[in-house]
Amino acid sequence: GIASLEIPVVTFPKFFTPNNDGHNDTWSLQGVNSTFFPNSKIYIFNMYGKVVADIPMGSQWDGTYLGKKQPSNDYWFDAMLVDTKGNIRRRKGNFSLLRK
């Protein structure tokens, strides 16, 4: 017989370029969706540790904070991936915002 199993593959982009050219204009986790991680939350911090974005599952960050464009710099994220059974997987990392 044949058996199949769906597994989530979550990736964290290393950079994004919010310049409205249609490529890499927003930052979000890829592979996070309502099937595998319906109650996930992602926090993005600037270099001083201030939260500049609070992203619910399925949303994206456009590189702004309170309507102001954030500068090119490294940013950090803290992702709490909550699966359908309530299990939490926490992932942390960083990425770059590049403005040209």
Side-chain angles (χ1 to χ4, degrees):
I2 297 174
S4 66
L5 175 66
E6 289 187 1
I7 58 168
V9 177
V10 179
T11 60
F12 308 93
K14 294 290 184 188
F15 70 93
F16 78 115
T17 56
N19 57 7
N20 295 319
D21 67 353
H23 301 286
N24 299 317
D25 286 332
T26 59
W27 188 91
S28 65
L29 296 186
Q30 297 161 354
V32 174
N33 58 44
S34 60
T35 301
F36 293 109
F37 303 107
N39 299 310
S40 298
K41 196 77 152 168
I42 305 159
Y43 299 93
I44 298 176
F45 304 87
N46 65 13
M47 61 191 276
Y48 303 108
K50 180 178 182 176
V51 175
V52 295
D54 177 352
I55 306 172
M57 190 282 301
S59 296
Q60 304 172 349
W61 186 45
D62 63 358
T64 63
Y65 175 67
L66 298 177
K68 290 183 66 177
K69 290 181 180 180
Q70 295 302 290
S72 291
N73 213 327
D74 287 336
Y75 291 82
W76 286 260
F77 67 87
D78 183 359
M80 289 184 281
L81 305 175
V82 184
D83 67 20
T84 55
K85 295 179 182 177
N87 299 316
I88 298 173
R89 293 173 181 88
R90 201 157 178 197
R91 301 292 185 260
K92 294 182 180 188
N94 70 309
F95 61 93
S96 297
L97 184 160
L98 305 171
R99 293 199 185 272
K100 296 179 181 182

